[in-house]
Amino acid sequence: MQGDESLQILVGSEGDSLPLMEMGTCRVEAFHQWDCVLVADIQTQKIQKQVQRQQQFLEKLESKGFHFKMIKDQKKVFFGIRADSGIFDLYRTLLMKPEDPGPRTKLNNMNSIPATTRIRIVSFVVNNKMKPGDTFEDLVKDGVFETMFPLHEGEKDLKKKWARWRNMFRKQPIDDIRNYFGEKVALYFAWLGWYTYMLVPAAVVGLIIFLSGFALFDSSQISKEICQADDIFMCPLGDNSRRYQRLSELCTFAKLTHLFDNDGTVLFAIFMALWATVFLEIWKRQRARVVLHWDLYGWDEEEEEMALELINCPDYKLRTHHHSYLSSTIILILSLFMICFMIGMAHVLVVYRVLAAALFSSLLEQQVTTVVVVTGAVVHYVIIVIMTKVNKCVALKLCNFEDPRTFSERESKFTVKFFILQFFAHFSSLMYIAFILGRINGHPGKSTRLAGLWKLEECHLSGCMMDLFIQMAIIMGLKQTLSNCVEYLRPLLAHKWRLMRACKHGHESKDPELEEWQRNYRMNPVNIFSLFDEFMEMMIQYGFTTIFVAAFPLAPLLALFSNLVEIRLDAIKMVRLQRRLVPRKAKDIGTWLQVLETIGVLAVIANGMVIAFTSEFIPRVVYKYRYGPCGQSRNFTEDCLKGYVNHSLSVFYTKDFQDHSRMEGQENVTVCRYRDYRNDRGYNFSEQFWFILAIRLAFVILFEHVALCIKLIAAWFVPDVPQSVKNKVLEEKYRILSEKMCFSSRSTDV
């Protein structure tokens, strides 16, 4: 049967040399010509039903224009798959634009088809529906097949130039990444590289703001007053605390707080709002240049998916857009339920901190607040790790219930749902500390209690910014260090373990083709979430870097160090430790761009509220220009904040404590102080409280409007698409129209 290509299968019993048995006539292909490999357990060959289902699946693929080869080793059965050139000719014909020239002779040239295109098409056809109950996913669930993967081939250059720790500060070979992993992965690394590059100025400015506090470490008027306040006693915070603490004992914490709660904080928050906008706008320009270079500027994802569907099934019927108000309502209700659950998890953290404060107060009376904050941050990190897995399952269920029309639409909807849940999981406790902690506690002698038993925790005596700073530092530090270590060590150890098991239970094959398939099989498996998880990790980091950066100016610096490691870590994983990702075509980072823009807006709002309600910036400014000596007398020549500490602390008469007699040194203390603005009699809010509250609200409105205006001006000032890109697209359109005009003129003359 000349001209026909059929199948050669290597068969034999375990341990025997495997002779060739022909099924039809075919030529044996070199291993580099196989587009992907299917794997099944050797035990499936002993079950007739499993063998039949395998054969039916392979025959169905063969009818679509695929060729196969099966090789057994002692444990597994490998099926090499190669698609006929006609499939790729059809693909390029379907995507040919009306303005393209006539039939191109190069369609029959197999060598002109990129490997990423071959793998993408083959993977789509294999994973798509053959008939109900016989999708590849169904067959994997039933144990007919174990997995499918494209082969790592020609990755040596990437290993040398990219996937090595020594290349940490070298430019990434984005074009090579695109040619090997496809556009979607290449765009991820292009975005990550640009994000890391842009973190440099943010990290430098944040470090300067932080270090500027050291310049005023001993000269700050507020710190001086606190350090010298030996005659001011602070009211006890916890129920078990029986000691009036001198304000001067907080000298060190007051100086540390001034490192990140100073006048430069406001400027840095505005700078980061501008930075986030410039970063995104210039990234859009970078993306436009890259996409034009890849000849994908006019590429349409929806058209691509329709072409793949038609290749898989010529009788494919178009699924039109649909919308159901009922399903949308159900999804909205379930999403709100999950968000409330995330907020409830933040309340669990509140309960923990209250109980921990009661437990530790008898053991660590002096450092109880610090211990509670630190352990609370660790507990929150553990909750984040657990809820990430829960959130992914919930987002998948909601997405499947919505039944999106295409894979890209499914990915977009899943991204939005998962990110919203992750956002509340990561930032709910920070919101509690920034805007609720210490504000609903009542006052000494009449405290708000949890279940009527335990007193709600309060901010650190040096202020709530200290709590927020510690929480941010611990959570971000753990995520950047512990998570990166786990992200690298887990696949590394898993790969080593798979290699050890293979050496222990089997023999190395002398067949180079089988050896190559085995090498790829022993790498760590990947899934559709592999790249998605990397993007999500970076989005959460971007949130930490921008949303509460006013409380933690070192966030950009931590993110910069982490990303330098992250780029090489991801490269090493993808090239050396994991099976090859199925390449996907893309011309942007998709829904993630909208996520970044949303985070930018939230950052403006959150930082404005942190400065207004969490830091001492507004009370200091109000005192400076209204209640302080400079506000009372323009001729005052000393520091305008002189007397601020005494002004910002309210007075409580110790005799009003129900158990005053049990306090240590109570005979010498008649009044204690606490952070609030309340009257000496009745302990109701004072006139200063309401005036400062009005200024806080006015500042939030002013800050957000100014910052958002700056963002809008920056977005307008920096065009999304460079003029050079627009001109090249314009010139290409002109060239095509000119050629059509010339062709039409010649046809008319004839």
Side-chain angles (χ1 to χ4, degrees):
M1 295 175 58
Q2 294 182 352
D4 290 341
E5 282 190 345
S6 54
L7 193 61
Q8 276 192 342
I9 302 180
L10 295 171
V11 296
S13 59
E14 294 186 32
D16 297 336
S17 59
L18 306 177
L20 286 172
M21 178 179 289
E22 291 192 4
M23 293 185 66
T25 60
C26 95
R27 64 179 185 272
V28 179
E29 300 287 351
F31 69 85
H32 63 272
Q33 291 183 337
W34 299 105
D35 298 315
C36 66
V37 174
L38 307 184
V39 183
D41 194 273
I42 194 68
Q43 298 300 322
T44 60
Q45 303 306 296
K46 300 177 181 179
I47 304 173
Q48 186 64 26
K49 184 178 179 181
Q50 301 284 60
V51 174
Q52 288 179 353
R53 294 185 69 182
Q54 288 176 0
Q55 288 298 327
Q56 289 172 0
F57 184 80
L58 295 173
E59 288 171 1
K60 189 69 176 178
L61 286 177
E62 190 174 22
S63 67
K64 294 176 180 291
F66 287 79
H67 308 282
F68 311 96
K69 181 177 182 179
M70 181 177 79
I71 309 179
K72 295 180 182 179
D73 67 9
Q74 284 73 21
K75 295 293 182 181
K76 302 295 176 183
V77 184
F78 297 88
F79 302 88
I81 297 180
R82 186 188 73 255
D84 188 75
S85 61
I87 294 176
F88 308 107
D89 295 346
L90 177 61
Y91 170 78
R92 294 201 288 188
T93 302
L94 288 172
L95 294 181
M96 188 182 295
K97 303 294 181 185
E99 63 268 16
D100 287 343
R104 290 174 284 183
T105 56
K106 65 178 181 180
L107 285 177
N108 293 324
N109 184 5
M110 289 277 291
N111 296 326
S112 66
I113 302 169
T116 53
T117 301
R118 294 183 62 93
I119 295 172
R120 185 172 71 255
I121 296 173
V122 170
S123 175
F124 183 89
V125 175
V126 171
N127 283 289
N128 224 314
K129 291 182 179 180
M130 297 295 177
K131 60 181 180 179
D134 263 354
T135 64
F136 186 74
E137 184 180 355
D138 295 329
L139 295 176
V140 170
K141 290 179 180 178
D142 295 340
V144 179
F145 291 104
E146 180 181 328
T147 187
M148 181 202 77
F149 53 83
L151 295 170
H152 273 293
E153 296 172 358
E155 74 275 24
K156 290 184 179 180
D157 284 344
L158 284 179
K159 286 182 178 180
K160 182 179 179 181
K161 296 190 295 185
W162 184 50
R164 292 198 300 186
W165 291 113
R166 69 180 66 177
N167 297 331
M168 184 175 292
F169 298 102
R170 289 185 60 181
K171 185 178 180 181
Q172 297 186 87
I174 297 299
D175 284 341
D176 293 341
I177 298 171
R178 178 242 182 170
N179 294 334
Y180 192 80
F181 287 111
E183 289 81 2
K184 199 168 188 69
V185 171
L187 281 171
Y188 163 72
F189 282 103
W191 173 83
L192 182 55
W194 178 247
Y195 170 42
T196 304
Y197 178 77
M198 286 293 291
L199 278 172
V200 174
V204 170
V205 175
L207 185 62
I208 291 173
I209 294 296
F210 185 77
L211 294 179
S212 65
F214 281 104
L216 305 174
F217 199 73
D218 295 314
S219 60
S220 168
Q221 177 65 29
I222 297 175
S223 299
K224 286 181 180 179
E225 291 185 4
I226 292 176
C227 294
Q228 297 170 3
D230 295 321
D231 57 340
I232 297 179
F233 293 88
M234 301 298 291
C235 298
L237 290 181
D239 285 332
N240 296 322
S241 178
R242 301 299 176 188
R243 177 175 174 271
Y244 296 109
Q245 188 175 6
R246 295 181 187 274
L247 181 59
S248 58
E249 295 177 21
L250 303 176
C251 177
T252 302
F253 284 106
K255 292 180 178 180
L256 291 176
T257 301
H258 194 70
L259 295 178
F260 48 85
D261 187 8
N262 50 60
D263 293 344
T265 301
V266 180
L267 297 177
F268 185 57
I270 295 177
F271 168 80
M272 287 303 294
L274 176 62
W275 174 88
T277 302
V278 172
F279 156 64
L280 286 181
E281 294 303 316
I282 300 183
W283 159 248
K284 293 174 185 177
R285 294 169 62 84
Q286 293 284 100
R287 181 209 67 86
R289 291 192 185 96
V290 171
V291 169
L292 181 67
H293 172 63
W294 291 344
D295 197 23
L296 289 176
Y297 197 81
W299 174 78
D300 185 86
E301 187 172 16
E302 195 171 67
E303 186 179 5
E304 165 92 2
E305 291 202 14
M306 284 191 288
L308 293 175
E309 291 284 4
L310 287 169
I311 291 170
N312 178 63
C313 179
D315 299 328
Y316 165 72
K317 301 297 182 183
L318 181 66
R319 287 189 62 186
T320 56
H321 293 281
H322 67 278
H323 179 267
S324 170
Y325 287 102
L326 177 61
S327 62
S328 298
T329 303
I330 294 173
I331 290 171
L332 179 61
I333 293 173
L334 293 175
S335 300
L336 290 175
F337 172 79
M338 280 302 300
I339 292 173
C340 292
F341 181 73
M342 294 293 105
I343 297 174
M345 295 304 295
H347 285 80
V348 170
L349 187 64
V350 174
V351 173
Y352 164 79
R353 290 167 68 118
V354 171
L355 297 178
L359 175 64
F360 293 135
S361 58
S362 58
L363 302 175
L364 302 166
E365 184 175 343
Q366 298 293 328
Q367 295 85 21
V368 61
T369 304
T370 304
V371 172
V372 168
V373 171
V374 172
T375 57
V378 175
V379 170
H380 182 214
Y381 176 77
V382 174
I383 292 175
I384 287 173
V385 173
I386 296 172
M387 291 310 301
T388 296
K389 299 183 182 298
V390 176
N391 290 341
K392 182 177 287 186
C393 293
V394 172
L396 271 176
K397 295 291 184 183
L398 292 176
C399 194
N400 291 334
F401 178 77
E402 198 169 2
D403 190 25
R405 192 178 66 87
T406 62
F407 178 81
S408 58
E409 186 176 331
R410 177 183 299 273
E411 185 179 46
S412 177
K413 292 180 180 295
F414 175 73
T415 299
V416 172
K417 293 175 177 61
F418 190 33
F419 173 76
I420 291 174
L421 297 178
Q422 285 292 88
F423 177 84
F424 281 95
H426 283 79
F427 294 99
S428 54
S429 70
L430 295 175
M431 293 178 185
Y432 163 74
I433 292 173
F435 309 125
I436 300 176
L437 178 63
R439 290 168 178 79
I440 56 175
N441 295 58
H443 58 80
K446 188 179 180 181
S447 302
T448 305
R449 294 182 177 272
L450 183 65
L453 299 175
W454 298 286
K455 183 179 179 181
L456 290 179
E457 65 168 332
E458 299 181 29
C459 292
H460 196 277
L461 286 174
S462 61
C464 293
M465 283 289 278
M466 174 63 75
D467 296 72
L468 187 58
F469 177 85
I470 293 175
Q471 185 88 350
M472 283 278 293
I474 291 177
I475 294 178
M476 194 169 181
L478 285 175
K479 283 193 69 66
Q480 304 308 317
T481 55
L482 185 60
S483 295
N484 277 351
C485 289
V486 172
E487 187 180 350
Y488 177 66
L489 292 177
R490 181 187 293 172
L492 178 64
L493 296 177
H495 182 50
K496 297 292 185 184
W497 173 251
R498 294 169 73 91
L499 290 177
M500 288 174 59
R501 288 186 60 187
C503 293
K504 181 178 179 180
H505 298 292
H507 301 284
E508 290 296 327
S509 171
K510 295 181 180 179
D511 182 347
E513 193 166 59
L514 176 58
E515 184 181 356
E516 184 68 13
W517 294 358
Q518 289 173 331
R519 180 182 73 85
N520 280 265
Y521 172 73
R522 290 164 188 162
M523 289 183 166
N524 296 316
V526 295
N527 54 58
I528 59 173
F529 294 114
S530 295
L531 186 63
F532 180 91
D533 290 339
E534 303 298 341
F535 259 121
M536 181 59 72
E537 181 184 355
M538 288 297 103
M539 294 300 123
I540 296 299
Q541 186 211 78
Y542 184 75
F544 278 112
T545 305
T546 55
I547 292 180
F548 289 102
V549 73
F552 190 49
L554 296 178
L557 184 64
L558 282 181
L560 174 62
F561 289 148
S562 175
N563 286 3
L564 290 173
V565 175
E566 181 74 24
I567 291 174
R568 301 305 155 183
L569 191 154
D570 289 344
I572 291 171
K573 280 196 312 180
M574 289 185 181
V575 177
R576 297 176 180 270
L577 303 177
Q578 292 179 347
R579 295 170 190 163
R580 188 174 182 176
L581 284 169
V582 174
R584 286 190 57 194
K585 213 168 185 177
K587 65 177 182 179
D588 53 41
I589 59 174
T591 310
W592 297 115
L593 184 62
Q594 285 72 49
V595 171
L596 290 169
E597 290 175 338
T598 302
I599 291 175
V601 175
L602 291 175
V604 171
I605 298 172
N607 283 307
M609 295 182 67
V610 166
I611 294 170
F613 293 100
T614 311
S615 78
E616 291 289 311
F617 175 75
I618 297 299
R620 289 197 299 260
V621 172
V622 171
Y623 178 80
K624 190 174 183 179
Y625 295 104
R626 181 178 175 87
Y627 298 110
C630 291
Q632 302 297 327
S633 173
R634 295 184 179 180
N635 298 323
F636 189 77
T637 57
E638 297 184 44
D639 196 304
C640 290
L641 290 176
K642 186 174 183 179
Y644 170 77
V645 173
N646 186 62
H647 174 81
S648 63
L649 298 176
S650 296
V651 174
F652 183 80
Y653 293 97
T654 57
K655 62 183 178 61
D656 292 334
F657 277 122
Q658 294 180 357
D659 52 356
H660 174 59
S661 60
R662 298 176 59 188
M663 298 290 185
E664 296 178 9
Q666 47 84 20
E667 65 278 357
N668 299 322
V669 180
T670 57
V671 297
C672 64
R673 312 296 292 273
Y674 60 99
R675 287 184 171 274
D676 210 341
Y677 290 92
R678 292 179 182 268
N679 294 316
D680 299 348
R681 295 288 182 265
Y683 306 118
N684 55 329
F685 290 119
S686 64
E687 175 266 339
Q688 288 97 327
F689 171 84
W690 297 110
F691 183 79
I692 291 175
L693 178 61
I695 299 299
R696 290 182 195 269
L697 295 173
F699 173 82
V700 170
I701 295 173
L702 180 64
F703 177 87
E704 291 176 0
H705 279 71
V706 169
L708 290 175
C709 284
I710 291 175
K711 284 174 65 67
L712 291 174
I713 292 172
W716 166 80
F717 189 77
V718 183
D720 292 355
V721 181
Q723 299 303 312
S724 59
V725 173
K726 290 183 178 179
N727 288 334
K728 286 183 180 179
V729 174
L730 197 64
E731 289 169 3
E732 181 64 18
K733 290 180 179 179
Y734 176 77
R735 183 189 64 78
I736 292 172
L737 288 174
S738 298
E739 290 178 356
K740 284 186 175 182
M741 189 71 178
C742 294
F743 180 78
S744 299
S745 299
R746 288 196 298 269
S747 300
T748 304
D749 293 340
V750 172

